[in-house]
Amino acid sequence: MTTPLDALLPALSGLGTGLALIVAIGVQNTYLLRLAVSARLGVVAVAVAVCALSDAALIIAGVLGVGAVVERVPAALLVIRFVGAAFLLTYGVLAARRALRPSGEAIRLDERAAEDGVPVSAGAGPGADGLEAAPASRGEGVPPGRADLGDRRAGDRRAGGDPAGPTMRAAVLTMLVFTWANPHVYLDTLVFLGSVANQQGVDDRWWWTVGAVAASCLWFGALGFGGRLLRPLFAKPLTWRVFDALVAVVMLAFGLTLLLGA
């Protein structure tokens, strides 16, 4: 008969192993952090769910032995590698372009923070292209602290940005590509975690799996929802330029790594 302690130990082991593997700078985590500070709460919540459910599906599939099948089909991983490399390199170039030519992210951030009820203590201030956030209130019927939406959208268009921010569809599709078009996720999550889980024995492997899945849920939830606390920092245009420069480095480095087969 399995006691609570017998279940707790393998679950904690799975939690620790899962966190050790997932808490790292990678394309998935980088994009989720970008959504956390720039997208609406609903978009962030769905993105967190996509990441957590994808990890859970891969871990469970690995425990069921799918990882062994994947290892026998190297051609599939080769196709995934080149698709992922092309996407990462493209996204890296776009991030580098945003770093060199800011697109008014800080201006749009103030509006979305007000809609989500997240205070932004630092004002957006003038952007790198000389644009300023619209006044706090104009005309009747505009609540205090809210800028005129029409002027704000016009300013965003002049800055080359999207006034609506990342749409649900765009965020989900991008996150799915970052998650499933990365061959490392199959090697690390499907093969590695699956093999470690199966080393725990018949009775303990599923408790270990519960811990590993919990690690993914905890990490992605903390990154997605906790990352929103950084919004005051990202109200400054300079922060976006530095962040996009780092994103470009991460995406291009991972893309080249996949392309060269390292």
Side-chain angles (χ1 to χ4, degrees), residues 40 101-112 124-125 127 129 131-134 147-165:
R40 292 181 174 85
R101 299 177 59 187
S103 59
E105 291 274 10
I107 299 175
R108 296 195 301 274
L109 181 60
D110 181 52
E111 177 188 334
R112 283 195 288 277
D129 50 5
L131 292 176
E132 296 187 8
D148 181 77
L149 184 57
D151 289 350
R152 192 180 293 262
R153 284 177 173 173
D156 285 341
R157 284 193 293 270
R158 288 196 299 272
D162 175 14

Side-chain angles (χ1 to χ4, degrees), residues 77-214:
L77 289 179
L78 185 64
V79 172
I80 293 171
R81 192 181 87 197
F82 284 112
V83 171
F87 189 84
L88 291 176
L89 291 174
T90 301
Y91 195 93
V93 170
L94 293 176
R97 182 176 179 273
R98 287 195 302 267
L100 296 174
R101 299 177 59 187
S103 59
E105 291 274 10
I107 299 175
R108 296 195 301 274
L109 181 60
D110 181 52
E111 177 188 334
R112 283 195 288 277
E115 291 178 356
D116 290 343
V118 179
V120 178
S121 58
D129 50 5
L131 292 176
E132 296 187 8
S137 178
R138 266 186 211 172
E140 296 181 358
V142 180
R146 293 292 301 274
D148 181 77
L149 184 57
D151 289 350
R152 192 180 293 262
R153 284 177 173 173
D156 285 341
R157 284 193 293 270
R158 288 196 299 272
D162 175 14
T167 65
M168 182 76 73
R169 182 174 181 271
V172 170
L173 289 177
T174 304
M175 186 61 77
L176 286 172
V177 173
F178 280 144
T179 302
W180 294 91
N182 180 4
H184 291 298
V185 77
Y186 297 96
L187 298 176
D188 294 342
T189 308
L190 191 65
V191 177
F192 176 72
L193 288 184
S195 64
V196 173
N198 284 311
Q199 292 174 14
Q200 308 304 311
V202 176
D203 296 331
D204 292 341
R205 65 172 183 166
W206 289 113
W207 289 113
W208 191 96
T209 302
V210 169
V213 171

